[in-house]
């Protein structure tokens, strides 16, 4: 009997929370396009994310309008595998289609996961992120660690805390680097679509250089 119990426990894998739930999205989102009208590397940006019917990411693309003419060029593309035993792999490719890094996401508990990034050009360091979720399955806390092998540079750590209003929309993000006090980034959700997903959002801060607007468009599974 004891052997049977132990066997059943080892097979009890953690079911990862879908990405759409982590991001606070409603409905069966098939794709989301986020347009930013501030300088990302000095240009307007567009991020296109595709999800499967269960809400997990399939791919993401980041594009830039460097010439400010409305013509976007690819900066990076991320491709995600399906979860296997609470773990998945994603690969990031540059505009030249060369592999830039490999990210492993592993769920540690039912409300916490860790990502480890293996960068092809940064073999002397280890990049880790630990993310915790709240009782609604949304991101609530993130710690980013950058550790250097051989201590050629000083290890760094940053922290982010996410807060939501009573309707479930993100309204505040607190960010801290090393021993600095937390800076606050205010999120104002301005317009919504028929599924109550945000279509226009304003980001503002007095502590951090973050003042811009975002527009979102969605496609849904039937």
């Amino acid at each position: 009997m004891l052997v049977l119990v132990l066997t059943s426990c080892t097979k009890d894998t953690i079911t990862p929370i879908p990405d759409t739930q982590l991001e606070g999205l409603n409905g069966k989102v098939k794709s989301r396009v986020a347009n930013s009208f501030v300088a990302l590397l000095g240009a307007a940006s567009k991020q296109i994310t595709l999800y499967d019917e269960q809400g997990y990411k399939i791919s993401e693309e980041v594009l830039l309008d460097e010439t400010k003419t409305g013509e976007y060029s690819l900066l990076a593309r991320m491709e995600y595998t399906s979860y296997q035993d609470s773990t998945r792999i994603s690969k990031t490719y540059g505009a030249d289609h060369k592999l830039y890094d490999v990210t492993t996401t592993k769920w540690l508990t039912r409300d916490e996961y860790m990502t480890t990034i293996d960068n092809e050009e940064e073999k002397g360091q280890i990049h880790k992120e630990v993310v915790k979720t709240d009782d609604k399955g949304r991101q609530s806390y993130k710690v980013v660690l950058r550790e250097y092998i051989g201590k050629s540079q000083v290890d760094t750590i940053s922290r982010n805390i996410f807060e939501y209003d009573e309707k479930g929309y993100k309204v505040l993000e607190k960010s801290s680097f090393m021993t600095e006090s937390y800076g606050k980034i205010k999120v104002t959700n301005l317009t919504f679509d028929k599924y109550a997903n945000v279509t226009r959002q304003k980001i503002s801060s007095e502590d951090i250089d973050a003042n811009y607007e975002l527009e979102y468009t969605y496609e849904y599974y039937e």
Side-chain angles (χ1 to χ4, degrees):
M1 179 64 71
L2 179 59
V3 173
L4 291 175
V5 171
L6 290 175
T7 303
S8 64
C9 289
T10 57
K11 292 183 178 179
D12 185 21
T13 58
I14 301 168
T15 301
I17 296 174
D19 296 297
T20 49
Q21 186 175 345
L22 286 169
E23 296 167 1
L25 300 180
N26 303 308
K28 295 188 68 175
V29 178
K30 185 175 184 180
S31 68
R32 179 176 68 171
V33 179
N35 286 284
S36 173
F37 301 100
V38 291
L40 171 62
L41 302 179
S45 67
K46 179 185 294 186
Q47 184 166 340
I48 303 171
T49 307
L50 302 182
Y51 306 89
D52 65 17
E53 292 195 62
Q54 287 70 49
Y56 298 106
K57 289 179 180 178
I58 299 172
S59 66
E60 287 182 282
E61 288 185 347
V62 179
L63 304 100
L64 297 180
D65 177 14
E66 297 178 281
T67 59
K68 300 181 181 179
T69 59
E71 296 183 5
Y72 287 85
S73 58
L74 181 68
L75 175 66
R77 175 179 173 82
M78 288 73 79
E79 296 180 352
Y80 295 81
T81 63
S82 299
Y83 275 103
Q84 301 291 331
D85 296 329
S86 308
T87 301
R88 76 175 173 194
I89 300 294
S90 63
K91 296 181 178 181
T92 301
Y93 298 89
D96 55 3
H97 306 293
K98 291 183 179 179
L99 181 64
Y100 182 67
D101 62 43
V102 177
T103 299
T104 302
T105 301
K106 181 177 179 58
W107 283 80
L108 308 174
T109 68
R110 296 189 183 278
D111 59 2
E112 180 179 353
Y113 68 89
M114 179 177 69
T115 64
T116 305
I117 302 174
D118 182 9
N119 190 293
E120 292 296 310
E121 298 179 357
E122 299 175 347
K123 291 299 185 181
Q125 64 177 275
I126 301 172
H127 184 111
K128 294 181 180 179
E129 296 180 3
V130 177
V131 181
K132 296 183 179 181
T133 63
D134 62 12
D135 57 354
K136 302 294 184 181
R138 303 166 303 202
Q139 294 185 77
S140 61
Y141 181 69
K142 179 169 71 173
V143 179
V144 179
L145 303 168
R146 194 177 291 267
E147 302 173 350
Y148 292 90
I149 300 171
K151 301 297 181 182
S152 59
Q153 297 186 53
V154 177
D155 293 347
T156 61
I157 181 170
S158 61
R159 301 174 178 85
N160 296 81
I161 300 173
F162 307 94
E163 296 184 7
Y164 301 85
D165 64 14
E166 67 280 358
K167 294 182 179 179
Y169 297 108
K170 184 168 71 173
V171 293
L172 188 68
E173 180 176 343
K174 298 178 182 178
S175 178
S176 174
F177 181 73
M178 299 297 279
T179 58
E180 296 176 357
S181 59
Y182 280 95
K184 296 181 180 180
I185 300 174
K186 182 180 179 182
V187 180
T188 305
N189 301 297
L190 301 171
T191 59
F192 310 85
D193 69 2
K194 63 180 181 180
Y195 290 98
N197 285 317
V198 177
T199 55
R200 186 163 163 260
Q201 195 175 64
K202 183 178 180 180
I203 311 298
S204 58
S205 174
E206 295 180 357
D207 307 310
I208 303 171
D209 185 15
N211 293 279
Y212 56 96
E213 288 193 8
L214 288 163
E215 284 188 357
Y216 300 94
T217 56
Y218 305 87
E219 182 182 2
Y220 296 90
Y221 288 100
E222 297 296 333

